[in-house]
Amino acid sequence: MKIIDNFLDEGDHAILKDILMSNTFPWFFNHSKIKGSKDLFDFQFTHIFYADNQINSNYFSCIESLLNKLNPHALVRIKANLNVMSHKQVTYKKHKDQDFKCKAAIYYVNTNDGYTLFKNKKINSVENRIVLFNSNETHSSTNTTNCKSRIVINFNYF
């Protein structure tokens, strides 16, 4: 696992953050973060940039600065997640991004009191931070209690 702060230059990060936090960016409701979950708080809004071997978003170009720095050989999935705030912090169920081993990255779009929890490491949500790890590594995430949303972009790639 590797954590890199200030991953993008300030201008590229500001542009990306403004797009994802605008009132015109399309977010889509998912009834659960983890398949089959019955937990009332287990939901999120997502935006799929890339899946099933194809670009799935008119906004794909807004993540090019991230892709240029990650320099993937092949993409598996790129998905933005938006978790809304709550009066209490909710830790979602542990999961693996993929059942097979590939590279994974979580890019933190905004700073908040949410975090990603790995087996022995808690990664705080600090904007313009990225964590690199293996996609079959179990982890969980949280919502936020100190701002309206927690936004991350999740990359699975080779």
Side-chain angles (χ1 to χ4, degrees), residues 15 20-21 23 25 28 32 49-50 54 69 72 77 96 108 110 116-117 125 140 152 156:
I15 290 167
L20 270 65
M21 297 187 86
N23 63 0
F25 187 79
F28 302 92
S32 65
F49 288 101
Y50 186 94
Q54 63 184 0
K69 292 216 55 177
R77 182 186 71 188
K96 295 178 182 179
Y108 299 88
N110 63 327
T116 306
L117 187 61
S125 294
S140 60
V152 302
N156 295 150

PDB file of all heavy atoms in Angstrom, residues 15 20-21 23 25 28 32 49-50 54 69 72 77 96 108 110 116-117 125 140 152 156:
ATOM      1  N   ILE A  15     -10.051  21.768 -10.683  1.00  0.00           N
ATOM      2  CA  ILE A  15     -10.983  21.580 -11.805  1.00  0.00           C
ATOM      3  C   ILE A  15     -11.813  20.316 -11.597  1.00  0.00           C
ATOM      4  O   ILE A  15     -13.038  20.329 -11.730  1.00  0.00           O
ATOM      5  CB  ILE A  15     -10.214  21.528 -13.149  1.00  0.00           C
ATOM      6  CG1 ILE A  15      -9.647  22.902 -13.489  1.00  0.00           C
ATOM      7  CG2 ILE A  15     -11.114  21.014 -14.276  1.00  0.00           C
ATOM      8  CD1 ILE A  15      -8.623  22.886 -14.616  1.00  0.00           C
ATOM      9  N   LEU A  20     -17.012  17.481 -10.079  1.00  0.00           N
ATOM     10  CA  LEU A  20     -17.716  16.442  -9.320  1.00  0.00           C
ATOM     11  C   LEU A  20     -18.636  17.013  -8.246  1.00  0.00           C
ATOM     12  O   LEU A  20     -19.613  16.374  -7.865  1.00  0.00           O
ATOM     13  CB  LEU A  20     -16.728  15.453  -8.702  1.00  0.00           C
ATOM     14  CG  LEU A  20     -16.398  14.255  -9.582  1.00  0.00           C
ATOM     15  CD1 LEU A  20     -15.675  14.633 -10.843  1.00  0.00           C
ATOM     16  CD2 LEU A  20     -15.637  13.208  -8.813  1.00  0.00           C
ATOM     17  N   MET A  21     -18.354  18.209  -7.762  1.00  0.00           N
ATOM     18  CA  MET A  21     -19.177  18.808  -6.720  1.00  0.00           C
ATOM     19  C   MET A  21     -20.195  19.813  -7.273  1.00  0.00           C
ATOM     20  O   MET A  21     -20.920  20.437  -6.506  1.00  0.00           O
ATOM     21  CB  MET A  21     -18.299  19.459  -5.657  1.00  0.00           C
ATOM     22  CG  MET A  21     -17.430  18.430  -4.937  1.00  0.00           C
ATOM     23  SD  MET A  21     -16.521  19.079  -3.545  1.00  0.00           S
ATOM     24  CE  MET A  21     -17.767  18.909  -2.263  1.00  0.00           C
ATOM     25  N   ASN A  23     -23.603  21.155  -9.314  1.00  0.00           N
ATOM     26  CA  ASN A  23     -25.001  20.700  -9.291  1.00  0.00           C
ATOM     27  C   ASN A  23     -25.454  20.143 -10.643  1.00  0.00           C
ATOM     28  O   ASN A  23     -26.617  19.808 -10.815  1.00  0.00           O
ATOM     29  CB  ASN A  23     -25.939  21.810  -8.815  1.00  0.00           C
ATOM     30  CG  ASN A  23     -25.948  23.008  -9.748  1.00  0.00           C
ATOM     31  OD1 ASN A  23     -25.261  23.027 -10.769  1.00  0.00           O
ATOM     32  ND2 ASN A  23     -26.722  24.016  -9.383  1.00  0.00           N
ATOM     33  N   PHE A  25     -23.328  17.669 -12.275  1.00  0.00           N
ATOM     34  CA  PHE A  25     -22.664  16.386 -12.476  1.00  0.00           C
ATOM     35  C   PHE A  25     -23.655  15.249 -12.196  1.00  0.00           C
ATOM     36  O   PHE A  25     -24.334  15.255 -11.168  1.00  0.00           O
ATOM     37  CB  PHE A  25     -21.441  16.255 -11.559  1.00  0.00           C
ATOM     38  CG  PHE A  25     -20.629  15.022 -11.841  1.00  0.00           C
ATOM     39  CD1 PHE A  25     -19.761  14.983 -12.914  1.00  0.00           C
ATOM     40  CD2 PHE A  25     -20.748  13.896 -11.039  1.00  0.00           C
ATOM     41  CE1 PHE A  25     -19.016  13.840 -13.189  1.00  0.00           C
ATOM     42  CE2 PHE A  25     -20.010  12.755 -11.298  1.00  0.00           C
ATOM     43  CZ  PHE A  25     -19.138  12.724 -12.381  1.00  0.00           C
ATOM     44  N   PHE A  28     -25.790   8.759  -9.685  1.00  0.00           N
ATOM     45  CA  PHE A  28     -26.844   7.754  -9.803  1.00  0.00           C
ATOM     46  C   PHE A  28     -26.972   6.973  -8.504  1.00  0.00           C
ATOM     47  O   PHE A  28     -25.978   6.517  -7.946  1.00  0.00           O
ATOM     48  CB  PHE A  28     -26.545   6.813 -10.978  1.00  0.00           C
ATOM     49  CG  PHE A  28     -26.419   7.565 -12.276  1.00  0.00           C
ATOM     50  CD1 PHE A  28     -25.191   8.028 -12.719  1.00  0.00           C
ATOM     51  CD2 PHE A  28     -27.548   7.845 -13.033  1.00  0.00           C
ATOM     52  CE1 PHE A  28     -25.073   8.744 -13.908  1.00  0.00           C
ATOM     53  CE2 PHE A  28     -27.451   8.571 -14.219  1.00  0.00           C
ATOM     54  CZ  PHE A  28     -26.211   9.012 -14.650  1.00  0.00           C
ATOM     55  N   SER A  32     -27.334  -0.232  -2.580  1.00  0.00           N
ATOM     56  CA  SER A  32     -26.362  -0.747  -1.619  1.00  0.00           C
ATOM     57  C   SER A  32     -24.956  -0.636  -2.189  1.00  0.00           C
ATOM     58  O   SER A  32     -24.752  -0.679  -3.390  1.00  0.00           O
ATOM     59  CB  SER A  32     -26.663  -2.206  -1.250  1.00  0.00           C
ATOM     60  OG  SER A  32     -26.499  -3.042  -2.365  1.00  0.00           O
ATOM     61  N   PHE A  49     -17.326   5.829 -14.699  1.00  0.00           N
ATOM     62  CA  PHE A  49     -16.564   6.412 -15.807  1.00  0.00           C
ATOM     63  C   PHE A  49     -16.190   5.350 -16.839  1.00  0.00           C
ATOM     64  O   PHE A  49     -16.176   5.617 -18.035  1.00  0.00           O
ATOM     65  CB  PHE A  49     -15.269   7.059 -15.296  1.00  0.00           C
ATOM     66  CG  PHE A  49     -15.470   8.337 -14.542  1.00  0.00           C
ATOM     67  CD1 PHE A  49     -15.424   8.349 -13.144  1.00  0.00           C
ATOM     68  CD2 PHE A  49     -15.682   9.534 -15.195  1.00  0.00           C
ATOM     69  CE1 PHE A  49     -15.587   9.534 -12.448  1.00  0.00           C
ATOM     70  CE2 PHE A  49     -15.852  10.728 -14.506  1.00  0.00           C
ATOM     71  CZ  PHE A  49     -15.805  10.715 -13.125  1.00  0.00           C
ATOM     72  N   TYR A  50     -15.857   4.153 -16.336  1.00  0.00           N
ATOM     73  CA  TYR A  50     -15.387   3.083 -17.227  1.00  0.00           C
ATOM     74  C   TYR A  50     -15.785   1.730 -16.638  1.00  0.00           C
ATOM     75  O   TYR A  50     -15.574   1.476 -15.448  1.00  0.00           O
ATOM     76  CB  TYR A  50     -13.861   3.154 -17.357  1.00  0.00           C
ATOM     77  CG  TYR A  50     -13.295   2.195 -18.363  1.00  0.00           C
ATOM     78  CD1 TYR A  50     -13.062   2.583 -19.679  1.00  0.00           C
ATOM     79  CD2 TYR A  50     -12.984   0.885 -18.007  1.00  0.00           C
ATOM     80  CE1 TYR A  50     -12.540   1.697 -20.619  1.00  0.00           C
ATOM     81  CE2 TYR A  50     -12.459  -0.002 -18.937  1.00  0.00           C
ATOM     82  CZ  TYR A  50     -12.243   0.404 -20.235  1.00  0.00           C
ATOM     83  OH  TYR A  50     -11.733  -0.474 -21.158  1.00  0.00           O
ATOM     84  N   GLN A  54     -15.290  -0.423 -21.725  1.00  0.00           N
ATOM     85  CA  GLN A  54     -15.639   0.769 -22.501  1.00  0.00           C
ATOM     86  C   GLN A  54     -15.861   1.987 -21.600  1.00  0.00           C
ATOM     87  O   GLN A  54     -16.217   1.854 -20.434  1.00  0.00           O
ATOM     88  CB  GLN A  54     -16.886   0.533 -23.345  1.00  0.00           C
ATOM     89  CG  GLN A  54     -18.131   0.257 -22.563  1.00  0.00           C
ATOM     90  CD  GLN A  54     -19.313  -0.078 -23.467  1.00  0.00           C
ATOM     91  OE1 GLN A  54     -19.191  -0.095 -24.686  1.00  0.00           O
ATOM     92  NE2 GLN A  54     -20.454  -0.344 -22.880  1.00  0.00           N
ATOM     93  N   LYS A  69      -1.218  10.218 -14.538  1.00  0.00           N
ATOM     94  CA  LYS A  69      -0.293   9.965 -13.422  1.00  0.00           C
ATOM     95  C   LYS A  69      -0.282   8.491 -13.024  1.00  0.00           C
ATOM     96  O   LYS A  69       0.760   7.969 -12.641  1.00  0.00           O
ATOM     97  CB  LYS A  69      -0.655  10.839 -12.227  1.00  0.00           C
ATOM     98  CG  LYS A  69      -0.384  12.299 -12.532  1.00  0.00           C
ATOM     99  CD  LYS A  69       0.105  13.133 -11.426  1.00  0.00           C
ATOM    100  CE  LYS A  69       1.308  12.692 -10.717  1.00  0.00           C
ATOM    101  NZ  LYS A  69       1.749  13.614  -9.691  1.00  0.00           N
ATOM    102  N   PRO A  72      -2.019   3.511 -16.380  1.00  0.00           N
ATOM    103  CA  PRO A  72      -2.434   2.104 -16.452  1.00  0.00           C
ATOM    104  C   PRO A  72      -2.170   1.500 -17.834  1.00  0.00           C
ATOM    105  O   PRO A  72      -2.186   2.204 -18.841  1.00  0.00           O
ATOM    106  CB  PRO A  72      -3.938   2.180 -16.184  1.00  0.00           C
ATOM    107  CG  PRO A  72      -4.327   3.534 -16.680  1.00  0.00           C
ATOM    108  CD  PRO A  72      -3.155   4.431 -16.392  1.00  0.00           C
ATOM    109  N   ARG A  77     -12.177  -0.940 -14.155  1.00  0.00           N
ATOM    110  CA  ARG A  77     -13.336  -0.133 -13.776  1.00  0.00           C
ATOM    111  C   ARG A  77     -12.850   1.163 -13.143  1.00  0.00           C
ATOM    112  O   ARG A  77     -11.867   1.167 -12.413  1.00  0.00           O
ATOM    113  CB  ARG A  77     -14.209  -0.891 -12.769  1.00  0.00           C
ATOM    114  CG  ARG A  77     -15.467  -0.127 -12.370  1.00  0.00           C
ATOM    115  CD  ARG A  77     -16.233  -0.837 -11.281  1.00  0.00           C
ATOM    116  NE  ARG A  77     -15.476  -0.721 -10.035  1.00  0.00           N
ATOM    117  CZ  ARG A  77     -15.787  -1.367  -8.918  1.00  0.00           C
ATOM    118  NH1 ARG A  77     -16.785  -2.200  -8.894  1.00  0.00           N
ATOM    119  NH2 ARG A  77     -15.064  -1.198  -7.838  1.00  0.00           N
ATOM    120  N   LYS A  96     -13.992  -6.452  -1.221  1.00  0.00           N
ATOM    121  CA  LYS A  96     -12.868  -6.409  -2.143  1.00  0.00           C
ATOM    122  C   LYS A  96     -13.392  -5.785  -3.428  1.00  0.00           C
ATOM    123  O   LYS A  96     -14.507  -6.073  -3.842  1.00  0.00           O
ATOM    124  CB  LYS A  96     -12.349  -7.819  -2.441  1.00  0.00           C
ATOM    125  CG  LYS A  96     -11.767  -8.526  -1.241  1.00  0.00           C
ATOM    126  CD  LYS A  96     -11.334  -9.928  -1.620  1.00  0.00           C
ATOM    127  CE  LYS A  96     -10.798 -10.662  -0.409  1.00  0.00           C
ATOM    128  NZ  LYS A  96     -10.388 -12.033  -0.759  1.00  0.00           N
ATOM    129  N   TYR A 108      -9.129  10.746  -3.237  1.00  0.00           N
ATOM    130  CA  TYR A 108     -10.025  11.498  -2.353  1.00  0.00           C
ATOM    131  C   TYR A 108     -10.243  12.894  -2.926  1.00  0.00           C
ATOM    132  O   TYR A 108      -9.315  13.688  -3.034  1.00  0.00           O
ATOM    133  CB  TYR A 108      -9.437  11.561  -0.943  1.00  0.00           C
ATOM    134  CG  TYR A 108      -9.264  10.175  -0.353  1.00  0.00           C
ATOM    135  CD1 TYR A 108      -8.098   9.452  -0.557  1.00  0.00           C
ATOM    136  CD2 TYR A 108     -10.289   9.582   0.370  1.00  0.00           C
ATOM    137  CE1 TYR A 108      -7.949   8.171  -0.040  1.00  0.00           C
ATOM    138  CE2 TYR A 108     -10.151   8.305   0.894  1.00  0.00           C
ATOM    139  CZ  TYR A 108      -8.978   7.601   0.680  1.00  0.00           C
ATOM    140  OH  TYR A 108      -8.840   6.334   1.181  1.00  0.00           O
ATOM    141  N   ASN A 110     -12.518  15.283  -1.772  1.00  0.00           N
ATOM    142  CA  ASN A 110     -12.709  16.348  -0.786  1.00  0.00           C
ATOM    143  C   ASN A 110     -12.294  15.881   0.609  1.00  0.00           C
ATOM    144  O   ASN A 110     -12.300  14.695   0.918  1.00  0.00           O
ATOM    145  CB  ASN A 110     -14.152  16.860  -0.777  1.00  0.00           C
ATOM    146  CG  ASN A 110     -15.157  15.803  -0.362  1.00  0.00           C
ATOM    147  OD1 ASN A 110     -15.003  14.608  -0.627  1.00  0.00           O
ATOM    148  ND2 ASN A 110     -16.224  16.231   0.293  1.00  0.00           N
ATOM    149  N   THR A 116     -11.120   5.429   4.838  1.00  0.00           N
ATOM    150  CA  THR A 116     -11.095   4.073   4.311  1.00  0.00           C
ATOM    151  C   THR A 116     -10.313   3.241   5.315  1.00  0.00           C
ATOM    152  O   THR A 116      -9.244   3.658   5.778  1.00  0.00           O
ATOM    153  CB  THR A 116     -10.389   4.025   2.937  1.00  0.00           C
ATOM    154  OG1 THR A 116     -11.010   4.968   2.059  1.00  0.00           O
ATOM    155  CG2 THR A 116     -10.477   2.632   2.328  1.00  0.00           C
ATOM    156  N   LEU A 117     -10.851   2.086   5.656  1.00  0.00           N
ATOM    157  CA  LEU A 117     -10.226   1.231   6.658  1.00  0.00           C
ATOM    158  C   LEU A 117      -9.751  -0.065   6.010  1.00  0.00           C
ATOM    159  O   LEU A 117     -10.550  -0.818   5.451  1.00  0.00           O
ATOM    160  CB  LEU A 117     -11.230   0.930   7.774  1.00  0.00           C
ATOM    161  CG  LEU A 117     -10.701   0.193   8.994  1.00  0.00           C
ATOM    162  CD1 LEU A 117      -9.607   1.001   9.683  1.00  0.00           C
ATOM    163  CD2 LEU A 117     -11.839  -0.074   9.965  1.00  0.00           C
ATOM    164  N   SER A 125      -9.809  10.819   4.789  1.00  0.00           N
ATOM    165  CA  SER A 125     -10.218  11.477   3.547  1.00  0.00           C
ATOM    166  C   SER A 125      -9.640  12.883   3.499  1.00  0.00           C
ATOM    167  O   SER A 125     -10.166  13.804   4.114  1.00  0.00           O
ATOM    168  CB  SER A 125     -11.748  11.551   3.458  1.00  0.00           C
ATOM    169  OG  SER A 125     -12.295  10.271   3.354  1.00  0.00           O
ATOM    170  N   SER A 140     -13.019  -1.233   3.960  1.00  0.00           N
ATOM    171  CA  SER A 140     -14.353  -0.656   4.124  1.00  0.00           C
ATOM    172  C   SER A 140     -14.222   0.859   4.118  1.00  0.00           C
ATOM    173  O   SER A 140     -13.123   1.399   4.172  1.00  0.00           O
ATOM    174  CB  SER A 140     -15.009  -1.139   5.426  1.00  0.00           C
ATOM    175  OG  SER A 140     -14.235  -0.762   6.542  1.00  0.00           O
ATOM    176  N   VAL A 152     -15.078  10.093  -3.513  1.00  0.00           N
ATOM    177  CA  VAL A 152     -13.836   9.437  -3.903  1.00  0.00           C
ATOM    178  C   VAL A 152     -13.993   8.901  -5.319  1.00  0.00           C
ATOM    179  O   VAL A 152     -15.109   8.718  -5.804  1.00  0.00           O
ATOM    180  CB  VAL A 152     -13.451   8.277  -2.948  1.00  0.00           C
ATOM    181  CG1 VAL A 152     -13.307   8.758  -1.513  1.00  0.00           C
ATOM    182  CG2 VAL A 152     -14.449   7.136  -3.038  1.00  0.00           C
ATOM    183  N   ASN A 156      -9.719   0.530 -10.739  1.00  0.00           N
ATOM    184  CA  ASN A 156      -9.202  -0.839 -10.817  1.00  0.00           C
ATOM    185  C   ASN A 156      -8.574  -0.961 -12.199  1.00  0.00           C
ATOM    186  O   ASN A 156      -9.215  -0.650 -13.219  1.00  0.00           O
ATOM    187  CB  ASN A 156     -10.324  -1.864 -10.662  1.00  0.00           C
ATOM    188  CG  ASN A 156     -10.967  -1.832  -9.284  1.00  0.00           C
ATOM    189  OD1 ASN A 156     -12.138  -2.140  -9.168  1.00  0.00           O
ATOM    190  ND2 ASN A 156     -10.252  -1.460  -8.260  1.00  0.00           N
TER     191      ASN A 156
END
